[in-house]
Each structure stands twice: as C-alpha cells, then as structure tokens.
C-alpha cells in the first residue's frame, strides 16, 4: 500500500509514556518501541535488535536504556548500542533506527519518512484535545480494517441512520442521507462535507448531551485532513433557541495505519459545554465507545469482503460517496507528489475554526 510517509501521525496519548513505561506499536508496517528518558526526552526506535531481530520490547528497560531479551545488548534513546555483553568492542552497525517523535496537543506524533524533513511546526493543529476552552473524552480502538476504509466511513456520515441507530442516528423519514450534503475542497489535503438537519427528533446521544427530549436543530461537518485525520464538527440546540448557545463538539478521529489491513484509531471528543462535569465526560466516553464499536464491526466485515471478492469499494457509487471518493483522490495526489519528489512535504491546514456556522435553518 502507498502511504504518505513525510507526515506526522498520531502514535499515542502523551501520558502513555509516563511512569517509565515502554509502549510498542506498529506504524505503517514498521514495529516501533517508544519510551521517555528520565530527563524528559522521548524516543521512538525500530522495535528490532540488529543482532538477531528480537523485538526490543520483549526485553526490559534498564534505567534509560532498552535491553534485548536474547543476548543483553542495550540501546539508548538515540538508538546507539551502549553494551554488548562479552566484548568491549561494539560494532558500528549495532544501532537501531530512531524515528522523530514529538509531543503536541496532549498527543505523541511520529514521523515515518525522511527524518531531516520532520519539522515540528508541521504537526496538525488539533488544539481542542488539550485546550482550556474544551473538555475531551478520549479513547482508543484497534480496527481490523485498512485506514482508508476508516476514512471513508468517517467522511460518509450517512451510514449513521443504520449503523448507529441506538446512539447518534435518525430513524424513519429523518434518515441522514435525506438531508443534502455540501462537499467543499478547502485546500490541498483538506475537505469539508457539511450537512444541516433542522427540526428533528433528538437521537439518544444528543438528548443526553442537551438534557432535552424535544425537537432539535443539528449540523455536522465531516472534515478530512490528509493523510488520515478526520473530525466530525457537530452542533445541536433545541428548536426555538439560538445557535450561538449550541452544544458543540469536535470529534477527533486520529487514524494511523498499523498494517495494510489494520488501523490505530485514537479518538477525542472535545465539547464546549459543561466543561467540569466529570460524569458527563465518562458518559460521553461510554457512548462513543459503543458508537465506534458499531463502526468497527462494519469495517471488519467490509475488509473481509474485499479480501474475499476483491476491491476497491464502492463498486457502485452513491451520492453519500462524494466526500470519501474526493478525500481518496486528494490523498492519492499527495502520495504521487511524494513518489515523484522524495523531499516533498505536505503542510496541513487548520481543520476548522470555532465560529458558529452560518446555518440555512436559522
């Protein structure tokens, strides 16, 4: 699979490296082990001893070094071997590749491409995960499907009425595809798919958020930022009230390819209301876990079907496929640029501002 490599991908939540923890994950098909040095530095090393290919994560941490479980070789945060038991001379080839790893917005970001191009200012601006004006509910799903299928799923919110009827979907005549979607290219690698849903019954999740059982107005914008970040910006408010007081949330879908058939799905649901309500934070976590569990089931089946009968999908395109197809084409164009110029670096834009959308329903 062709991945965009000269880009920052989410590798985890920042606090995962606290308390001298060692975290092993695979990104873009490459096994990586991450840790924090006692002086605060963080590192991401290829999770493979250069001697006999034993995963370093299968060994143990000794101070600020990783010790291989096979022959006791040790490696520091830069990837250089510091100890080869039984000999004083350490071969110059005894080193492990070091991948750029930075902390930003409460997250760990890894760069799998050319390290000299890894500028920290290229980290996407998703400040809502770690900002005093927003409160996040965070979590993680391991998805048994390609990251591209996950992006398709998030750029096509029309499936909510069938996959998520117990949580965020509408029923009967209020099914989401009945409300027209406006797809807009905002710039290189950035796409918006906006939909407005006035005077609808409140689905269970939104009724909980608003503590309101009557009719609501709802907008939602599916935002796609290459290579693999999506955001669902939604706002809901009771009919008859002002949209300026809407409960608004930025649902951050932070997708990082693990392999060609599996995806790391880090997520953060940042809200602008009831910021100190810890019970609500946990309730949102529970509801979102259920929602994304529903997605994971469909994506796993779809991945299996593609392997059995051949892809790609969709075989027959519908109106709801406009945003997913355009998002794929945008990524393909970026991958093509990188293949033609290995020093090409994509510069991600701000996904969305925080002003209230000008809604036709108002």
């Amino acid at each position: 699979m062709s991945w965009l490599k000269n880009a920052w991908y989410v590798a985890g939540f920042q606090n995962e490296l606290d308390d001298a923890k060692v975290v092993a994950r695979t990104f873009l098909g490459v096994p990586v082990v991450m840790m924090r040095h006692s002086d605060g530095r963080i590192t991401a090393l290829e999770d493979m001893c250069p001697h006999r290919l034993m995963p370093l994560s299968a060994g143990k941490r000794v101070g600020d070094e990783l010790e291989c479980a096979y022959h006791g070789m040790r490696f520091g945060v830069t990837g250089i071997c510091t100890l080869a038991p039984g000999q004083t001379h350490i071969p110059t080839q005894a080193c492990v590749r070091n991948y750029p790893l930075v902390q930003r917005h409460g997250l760990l970001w890894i760069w799998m491409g050319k390290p000299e191009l890894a500028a920290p200012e290229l980290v996407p601006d998703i400040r809502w995960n770690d900002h005093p004006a927003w409160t996040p509910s965070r979590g993680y799903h391991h998805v048994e499907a390609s990251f591209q299928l996950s992006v398709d799923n998030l750029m096509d919110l029309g499936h909510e009425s069938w996959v998520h009827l117990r949580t965020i979907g509408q029923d009967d005549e209020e099914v989401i595809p009945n409300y027209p979607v406006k797809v807009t290219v905002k710039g290189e690698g950035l796409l918006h798919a906006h939909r407005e849903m006035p005077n609808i019954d409140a689905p269970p999740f939104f009724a909980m958020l608003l503590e309101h059982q009557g009719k609501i107005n709802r907008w939602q914008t599916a935002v796609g930022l290459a290579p693999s970040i999506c955001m669902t910006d939604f706002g809901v408010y009771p009919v008859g009230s002002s949209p300026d007081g809407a409960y608004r949330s930025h649902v951050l879908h932070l997708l990082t390819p693990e392999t060609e058939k599996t995806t790391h799905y880090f997520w953060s649901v940042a809200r602008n209301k009831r910021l100190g309500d810890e019970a609500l934070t946990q309730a949102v976590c529970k509801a979102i876990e259920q929602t994304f569990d529903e997605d994971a089931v469909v994506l796993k089946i779809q991945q299996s079907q593609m392997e059995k009968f051949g892809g790609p999908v969709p075989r027959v395109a519908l109106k709801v496929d406009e945003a997913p197809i355009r998002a794929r084409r945008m990524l393909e164009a970026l991958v093509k640029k990188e293949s033609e110029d290995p020093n090409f670096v994509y510069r991600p834009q701000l996904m969305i501002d925080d002003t209230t959308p000008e809604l036709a329903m108002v």
Side-chain angles (χ1 to χ4, degrees):
M1 179 177 289
S2 297
W3 289 307
L4 190 69
K5 293 187 176 180
N6 290 334
W8 291 105
Y9 290 89
V10 174
F13 294 103
Q14 187 172 311
N15 62 1
E16 289 187 84
L17 297 186
D18 292 347
D19 303 321
K21 292 178 182 175
V22 173
V23 176
R25 289 194 175 112
T26 296
F27 305 116
L28 280 63
V30 178
V32 171
V33 59
M34 300 178 289
M35 60 182 284
R36 189 189 306 278
H37 193 278
S38 58
D39 65 10
R41 284 181 294 165
I42 57 176
T43 191
L45 303 176
E46 186 170 12
D47 194 11
M48 191 178 299
C49 179
H51 177 217
R52 288 186 173 271
L53 309 187
M54 189 72 172
L56 293 177
S57 59
K60 64 180 180 180
R61 177 170 180 163
V62 180
D64 286 322
E65 298 177 336
L66 294 176
E67 181 179 277
C68 180
Y70 199 0
H71 291 88
M73 294 178 71
R74 292 183 184 176
F75 300 86
V77 293
T78 63
I80 295 175
C81 180
T82 61
L83 176 67
Q87 61 188 73
T88 57
H89 172 70
I90 299 176
T92 56
Q93 302 93 330
C95 59
V96 181
R97 182 173 176 180
N98 187 317
Y99 293 91
L101 186 70
V102 298
Q103 302 173 125
R104 186 72 57 84
H105 311 308
L107 297 159
L108 301 168
W109 299 82
I110 194 167
W111 184 279
M112 303 300 292
K114 299 182 71 171
E116 64 271 22
L117 301 178
E121 61 268 22
L122 296 176
V123 171
D125 185 353
I126 54 170
R127 68 191 75 176
W128 309 284
N129 179 60
D130 186 27
H131 192 282
W134 297 81
T135 293
S137 299
R138 305 185 181 103
Y140 169 83
H141 276 67
H142 182 262
V143 179
E144 295 182 62
S146 74
F147 88 96
Q148 190 61 72
L149 287 179
S150 295
V151 172
D152 287 353
N153 179 70
L154 294 164
M155 294 306 295
D156 159 31
L157 298 178
H159 70 273
E160 291 179 6
S161 298
W162 292 272
V163 178
H164 304 304
L165 192 56
R166 294 181 298 167
T167 52
I168 58 177
Q170 302 295 142
D171 198 2
D172 300 327
E173 72 278 0
E174 291 183 347
V175 295
I176 290 174
N178 288 344
Y179 298 85
V181 60
K182 180 181 179 181
V183 180
T184 308
V185 175
K186 294 292 184 177
E188 186 177 49
L190 179 61
L191 189 74
H192 283 194
H194 180 74
R195 180 179 274 115
E196 298 175 11
M197 305 176 66
N199 196 32
I200 61 173
D201 292 324
F205 180 67
F206 298 114
M208 176 195 72
L209 296 179
L210 291 174
E211 299 179 309
H212 173 80
Q213 297 297 326
K215 295 283 186 177
I216 64 170
N217 292 324
R218 171 184 178 184
W219 82 79
Q220 60 185 30
T221 305
V223 182
L225 181 69
S228 60
I229 291 179
C230 297
M231 180 171 78
T232 308
D233 168 48
F234 74 79
V236 289
Y237 57 99
V239 169
S241 64
S242 170
D244 292 335
Y247 181 107
R248 189 172 186 179
S249 184
H250 294 326
V251 186
L252 298 166
H253 314 278
L254 312 171
L255 307 166
T256 300
E258 181 184 46
T259 68
E260 293 185 0
K261 300 178 181 179
T262 57
T263 303
H264 296 294
Y265 188 170
F266 305 96
W267 51 266
S268 175
V269 184
R271 66 180 187 271
N272 70 338
K273 300 288 186 182
R274 300 163 63 185
L275 302 184
D277 189 337
E278 180 60 25
L280 178 59
T281 298
Q282 295 305 316
V284 170
C285 268
K286 183 177 180 180
I288 294 300
E289 285 174 358
Q290 179 183 356
T291 301
F292 293 166
D293 282 345
E294 293 164 344
D295 280 321
V297 170
V298 172
L299 291 171
K300 181 179 180 179
I301 293 172
Q302 191 175 181
Q303 179 72 42
S304 176
Q305 291 290 88
M306 288 176 60
E307 293 170 18
K308 185 183 300 183
F309 300 108
V313 292
R315 290 189 175 183
V316 177
L318 304 177
K319 288 183 178 179
V320 295
D321 295 307
E322 180 183 0
I325 289 173
R326 293 178 76 169
R328 282 196 180 211
R329 289 174 179 169
M330 294 174 76
L331 178 56
E332 288 168 359
L334 292 171
V335 171
K336 184 174 185 292
K337 283 187 176 183
E338 186 179 271
S339 68
E340 295 172 344
D341 177 9
N343 291 317
F344 168 73
V345 176
Y346 160 63
R347 298 180 178 276
Q349 305 173 62
L350 179 66
M351 299 186 76
I352 203 165
D353 63 30
D354 290 321
T355 59
T356 300
E358 294 295 329
L359 304 182
M361 68 180 71
V362 179

